[in-house]
Amino acid sequence: MDSLGTLTRRSFLIGSVAVAGGVAFGTYVVKTPVRNPLLDTLADGEVAITPYVLIAADGITLITPRADSGQGAYSVQAALIAEELDIDPASATITPGLPGPAYYNGAVLAESVPFPAYDQSILAEAMRRFMAVPAKVLQLQITGGSSTVPDGFTRLRMAGAVARETLKEAAARRTGLPRDQLDTAEGHVILPTGDRIAYTDLAADAAGIEPIRDVELRPPERWKRLGKTAVRTDMVAKCTGTEVYGIDDSVDGMVYATVRANPGINGDVVSFDATDAEAMSGVLGVLPVPHGVAVVARNTWTAFRAADSVRIEWGPPPYPASSAEIFDALEAVLDNDQSFDHRRRDDGDVDAALARGDVIKANYRIPYLAHAPLEPMNALVHVTDDHCEIRTGTQIPLFIRARAAQITGLDQGKVLVHVLPMGGSFGHRLEMTHVEQALHIAVAMKGTPIKLVWSRNEDMTHDYPRPAAVARARGRVVDGRVETFDLSVGQSAMTPGWVRRLSGMSLPGPDTTITTGSWDQPFAIPNYRVTGYRAPDMVPVSSWRSVGASGNGFLHDCFLDELIHAAGADPLAERIRLCMDDTSRRVLEAVGEMSGWDGPGIGENRGRGVGFCLSFGVPVAQVVDVTMTARGIRIDKVHVAVDVGQVLDPVNLEAQVCGGVIFGLGHAMNCALTYDNHTPQQTNFHAYEGMRLYQTPEIDVRVLTNGTKIRGIGEPGVPPAAPALANAIFAATGQRIRELPLNKHVAFV
């Protein structure tokens, strides 16, 4: 093995600069404030004190630029601004606004540093702060990585505070009173006399004042809204069915389109015959798009039917035809030193330890997984000679704007991207293939708004799934304790392909998502090694909810459970003994307390398993109770303990945790994308079935706040679910399952 391939902190720094495409982070570029984009479109009487607060005589608008795919992102962003601005979010208009460099995500890259989350050394913290620099320079307005709250926690409150103090200054100048004698409440400046001046009445005054930037944030003990349960801003619309998702959107004069692309992603179109489609009533045209054929019609149903009637000869895509061949390729990389990608964890002397006695070995594998959001991909695009307007649910609006400029030949300033509410994503809307297709159609039909909608089959077939992976694990136990842990993971790289699709740039260096969720776990095992091997690019893959930790949480924690069992130790007590991070240890202790843990055996034909994963800086421990019935495994109850540092909305946080548990359990039980003839065999929900309502167990959640940082919770609830369930099945049945989905080996009731 080439030791030079080991990822070092120095190589990480070099790689980070390369990621930026050679951008020099000059002091001027880094420190120059990003222009407030709201200033470009101000109407008479409006004032945009910060990029997040727009005030006019008829109301207040809060800009919430992180996309909402059902996780409550708009509500939490609005609450952060409103807390300091001192308004009721329900009294304001909440909008993601138009995309812009000012809305870069300064936290999304922090997880990529070569330090585990529990390492809070000066160097580790400095590098995490540094990652905000490339995010700003590259204008990374991205929603993902559970980074909305960490990124906005200070920034959005500062925006509200600056607006509040500027409005107070406006009132001070109007009344002649000192600003420090003024207070605020519910959208008003309060004078010492008790008289009130509405913010909206001060808009014109504030427009002529340089924003007051020397402000102090209110401490948590003075918070009126944060830390308390609030009704989400989208709750009424979603409960009444009036929310307008992208698939519901419409504009005057639009026509409808759909696409049939090569079922083998990136395979060519050899030929097509659209005679039957073009003869159908309501069909307006059939035209080629990259790797496929588009049909434009008077309505979506006609477009779908016509697309089905187009006879197309496909060329083969550049990857193996079947799942069997794909897994053979994955297994091969573990025997090939040339496939070595990185090693971030190498404690003690693993080779010497393994040579000292009996070695416990196990092979694991996990499948491709589709994102499968309920709302299929769609985009409404209108292109003219001098303008392009895009309306879609997306997590990457600035990348879409840049790509639209390339396809249309327009300046980026002529491209408007409206971000719409999304019916789920789980990472799917970090891609933009459907928008590119809609743009090609709209360019061919300039002047006509095109609404492109993928069928469910098209959505499943052309999803960029979570990578499939294999792992070989070895270990030893000594005197009732885990002494050696050696995990090798092989999979195709996820990040380079995604970056290339979005930006066209090549990404050098290792892809650490191959081992994320395994190398960075807070366990002090004397001999501890985790190695990533990169398989050739096969089916193009992408981020899936909890990214690398989604699979590595299963690989790592299940093998740790095997070693603990071989040692004859208690599964929870040994994890607690090995844990070297106080915050994580308290989470493990909490899940033991709340579940009444007294070992994995809880009665005849019953068992419980514990799973743990530290991902996105959030330690999560789960205990799953199961019963082996005559018809199969029943999941009885799940206990979950998490630590997010600080709670902003207890009910929404619990909902996100429960959603993550159900998402993780359902996929562990039933879901896989398998391939035959280059094509996914699961193209709809009948063949890709998560957890049913009647299967959903009672879920008990406890939230701790011992962590020193505030964290996001959209993703960390997922990784521990699969290992906790697999470990519970072992406790109940004695059957150790090392492959997902679990229903390949057991039945579920």
Side-chain angles (χ1 to χ4, degrees):
M1 182 178 296
D2 181 5
S3 60
L4 293 177
T6 301
L7 178 66
T8 64
R9 291 168 185 174
R10 180 173 177 275
S11 69
F12 166 79
L13 288 170
I14 294 171
S16 297
V17 175
V19 167
V23 172
F25 299 147
T27 302
Y28 174 79
V29 174
V30 172
K31 292 190 173 181
T32 300
V34 184
R35 177 176 168 74
N36 182 349
L38 301 179
L39 299 178
D40 298 331
T41 56
L42 280 182
D44 289 342
E46 290 182 335
V47 57
I49 301 173
T50 82
Y52 303 92
V53 180
L54 182 67
I55 299 178
D58 59 351
I60 299 173
T61 300
L62 304 182
I63 311 299
T64 54
R66 297 292 167 265
D68 199 320
S69 56
Q71 78 277 39
Y74 289 165
S75 292
V76 73
Q77 293 173 90
L80 287 164
I81 304 170
E83 180 63 60
E84 293 290 340
L85 184 56
D86 219 346
I87 67 169
D88 181 353
S91 69
T93 299
I94 313 296
T95 172
L98 293 176
Y103 304 121
Y104 71 92
N105 188 333
V108 72
L109 298 181
E111 290 296 314
S112 64
V113 302
F115 300 90
Y118 54 84
D119 184 346
Q120 298 185 19
S121 63
I122 293 175
L123 179 59
E125 290 299 296
M127 291 188 69
R128 292 186 183 108
R129 288 193 296 272
F130 169 80
M131 296 313 294
V133 175
K136 177 181 178 181
V137 175
L138 295 173
Q139 304 177 9
L140 293 182
Q141 185 181 352
I142 289 177
T143 304
S146 287
S147 60
T148 293
V149 166
D151 177 60
F153 182 60
T154 298
R155 189 195 300 200
L156 296 181
R157 287 188 298 141
M158 284 297 294
V162 168
R164 181 194 70 222
E165 293 304 315
T166 305
L167 289 162
K168 286 170 63 179
E169 178 65 20
R173 295 186 185 188
R174 179 186 291 186
T175 62
L177 294 167
R179 178 158 58 93
D180 60 7
Q181 291 187 12
L182 305 180
D183 201 355
T184 58
E186 301 302 322
H188 292 76
V189 175
I190 310 300
L191 306 183
T193 59
D195 292 335
R196 301 156 63 92
I197 307 176
Y199 289 170
T200 49
D201 189 37
L202 291 166
D205 303 60
I209 298 175
E210 186 68 19
I212 306 297
R213 302 187 186 281
D214 184 17
V215 299
E216 292 185 3
L217 297 178
R218 292 173 172 171
E221 55 269 22
R222 291 186 58 197
W223 287 351
K224 298 177 181 176
R225 295 177 175 82
L226 298 177
K228 304 176 178 62
T229 296
V231 176
R232 282 174 42 168
T233 58
D234 56 357
M235 190 56 65
V236 172
K238 288 183 174 175
C239 290
T240 57
T242 55
E243 181 73 289
V244 178
Y245 297 95
I247 205 165
D248 304 314
D249 196 29
S250 64
V251 298
D252 292 340
M254 72 180 189
V255 296
Y256 300 81
T258 196
V259 164
R260 289 291 176 272
N262 192 319
I265 297 176
N266 292 332
D268 291 329
V269 176
V270 176
S271 64
F272 71 90
D273 179 355
T275 304
D276 293 344
E278 291 170 335
M280 293 176 66
S281 176
V283 172
L284 303 177
V286 180
L287 62 156
V289 294
H291 307 292
V293 176
V295 174
V296 183
R298 295 290 181 193
N299 58 62
T300 302
W301 179 241
T302 300
F304 282 2
R305 290 175 56 237
D308 288 339
S309 73
V310 180
R311 293 182 290 277
I312 309 173
E313 182 182 355
W314 304 114
Y319 52 79
S322 70
S323 289
E325 294 173 71
I326 290 170
F327 274 103
D328 285 345
L330 292 172
E331 296 282 356
V333 302
L334 297 179
D335 296 319
N336 184 357
D337 287 348
Q338 299 301 314
S339 300
F340 173 78
D341 190 74
H342 65 273
R343 178 175 290 157
R344 279 188 167 183
R345 188 72 174 267
D346 193 3
D347 300 343
D349 190 336
V350 170
D351 290 330
L354 293 174
R356 283 197 289 266
D358 294 337
V359 177
I360 299 164
K361 300 179 180 178
N363 294 333
Y364 285 82
R365 61 168 56 184
I366 58 175
Y368 290 108
L369 288 177
H371 298 86
L374 196 60
E375 179 197 9
M377 297 299 102
N378 60 82
L380 205 169
V381 178
H382 187 194
V383 175
T384 66
D385 287 337
D386 60 1
H387 183 78
C388 174
E389 192 160 2
I390 301 168
R391 303 173 64 83
T392 189
T394 179
Q395 298 168 251
I396 49 169
L398 287 183
F399 283 101
I400 285 180
R401 190 179 73 175
R403 185 58 49 84
Q406 291 176 357
I407 293 174
T408 62
L410 295 170
D411 184 87
Q412 289 196 34
K414 301 292 185 182
V415 179
L416 287 181
V417 179
H418 302 277
V419 179
L420 303 181
M422 296 176 275
S425 172
F426 318 115
H428 200 358
R429 287 179 167 87
L430 287 166
E431 304 286 347
M432 57 182 176
T433 303
H434 58 294
V435 181
E436 294 169 326
Q437 293 170 344
L439 282 162
H440 283 289
I441 300 167
V443 167
M445 299 180 66
K446 277 187 179 177
T448 301
I450 304 295
K451 182 172 182 177
L452 173 79
V453 178
W454 278 2
S455 67
R456 173 68 60 199
N457 286 16
E458 192 73 13
D459 193 282
M460 292 282 287
T461 303
H462 294 91
D463 188 6
Y464 297 98
R466 183 189 78 173
V470 297
R472 291 181 184 172
R474 301 180 298 171
R476 286 196 73 228
V477 298
V478 176
D479 298 331
R481 295 183 170 188
V482 177
E483 183 227 34
T484 302
F485 182 102
D486 183 26
L487 182 71
S488 297
V489 181
Q491 70 175 43
S492 300
M494 181 192 314
T495 310
W498 178 67
V499 171
R500 187 166 54 248
R501 288 193 293 275
L502 263 56
S503 67
M505 293 194 303
S506 296
L507 190 64
D511 180 20
T512 54
T513 62
I514 294 173
T515 61
T516 301
S518 56
W519 76 272
D520 48 0
Q521 298 308 292
F523 297 114
I525 300 172
N527 306 291
Y528 194 169
R529 185 168 69 188
V530 177
T531 309
Y533 291 86
R534 185 186 296 203
D537 290 339
M538 293 186 280
V539 176
V541 293
S542 188
S543 297
W544 188 86
R545 190 176 184 181
S546 71
V547 202
S550 68
N552 285 306
F554 173 76
L555 304 175
H556 183 279
D557 200 74
C558 281
F559 186 60
L560 179 60
D561 203 73
E562 286 201 55
L563 294 179
I564 292 172
H565 176 73
D570 177 82
L572 180 60
E574 182 66 355
R575 283 176 173 82
I576 292 173
R577 187 189 71 79
L578 291 169
C579 188
M580 58 184 178
D581 172 49
D582 287 342
T583 305
S584 299
R585 185 185 307 109
R586 291 177 185 177
V587 164
L588 284 163
E589 291 169 346
V591 83
E593 178 185 309
M594 60 196 294
S595 65
W597 180 274
D598 188 26
I602 53 175
E604 187 176 359
N605 295 323
R606 300 194 69 210
R608 59 175 24 177
V610 58
F612 173 89
C613 190
L614 172 59
S615 64
F616 305 92
V618 180
V620 182
Q622 298 179 18
V623 168
V624 172
D625 296 349
V626 302
T627 298
M628 182 64 189
T629 75
R631 295 186 295 122
I633 297 290
R634 183 184 69 227
I635 303 175
D636 300 315
K637 187 168 184 177
V638 180
H639 308 269
V640 190
V642 308
D643 194 314
V644 295
Q646 193 154 28
V647 177
L648 298 183
D649 185 328
V651 168
N652 194 48
L653 193 154
E654 182 175 343
Q656 290 301 303
V657 172
C658 290
V661 170
I662 293 169
F663 191 83
L665 289 176
H667 282 85
M669 293 162 59
N670 301 323
C671 295
L673 272 188
T674 58
Y675 287 78
D676 185 41
N677 193 25
H678 304 289
T679 305
Q681 294 175 295
Q682 297 77 24
T683 57
N684 212 320
F685 289 128
H686 72 282
Y688 193 83
E689 184 176 299
M691 178 177 275
R692 290 282 188 173
L693 184 60
Y694 67 84
Q695 295 176 309
T696 305
E698 178 185 355
I699 302 173
D700 184 18
V701 179
R702 180 181 295 182
V703 181
L704 283 68
T705 56
N706 297 307
T708 57
K709 297 179 181 178
I710 189 166
R711 302 289 189 174
I713 194 60
E715 310 194 60
V718 176
L725 177 57
N727 295 336
I729 292 171
F730 173 73
T733 67
Q735 184 178 5
R736 182 68 75 178
I737 305 176
R738 303 185 178 93
E739 179 184 21
L740 296 177
L742 300 168
N743 69 356
K744 294 181 70 173
H745 304 274
V746 295
F748 290 93
V749 294

